[in-house]
Amino acid sequence: MTAPLHGREAIVNLFRIECARATMVCEVEQILEDGEWAVLEWRDPLGLRGCGFFRVRDGRIVFQRGYFDQLCFFRQQGLAVPDRYLG
């Protein structure tokens, strides 16, 4: 969805922008943990599903990657699909 973000301010700004343009509720399906790795599987009441992978060191997220169907998300939210998604 975006280029890698670095720092709290960049992450907060991303969520501020993205949450302002969509209404979504994420319900936790399960959380798995192994050492410094954690996986969050979630779903939205409208049917969208996704997961996030996190590496945590000293109480801070040092790596995160998430997956969900972005085209379904845009359609569910009534948002225009960015041209870069259409090839």
Side-chain angles (χ1 to χ4, degrees):
M1 206 160 132
T2 68
L5 301 174
H6 300 281
R8 290 178 191 250
E9 187 174 335
I11 295 168
V12 168
N13 285 335
L14 171 77
F15 279 103
R16 186 175 290 126
I17 291 166
E18 294 302 320
C19 291
R21 69 185 192 137
T23 302
M24 189 170 149
V25 175
C26 289
E27 298 175 352
V28 175
E29 290 276 295
Q30 67 177 326
I31 297 175
L32 305 170
E33 180 184 347
D34 183 19
E36 57 185 36
W37 285 94
V39 178
L40 165 66
E41 183 181 8
W42 56 267
R43 68 179 173 84
D44 176 271
L46 298 176
L48 189 65
R49 300 177 66 88
C51 60
F53 297 84
F54 302 86
R55 189 172 199 171
V56 180
R57 289 190 184 137
D58 299 321
R60 294 179 179 259
I61 298 169
V62 296
F63 176 85
Q64 186 275 333
R65 181 171 290 153
Y67 299 96
F68 65 97
D69 186 331
Q70 292 177 341
L71 289 176
C72 285
F73 171 76
F74 290 130
R75 290 183 181 127
Q76 283 179 349
Q77 297 294 317
L79 300 171
V81 177
D83 289 340
R84 69 180 184 273
Y85 284 82
L86 303 175

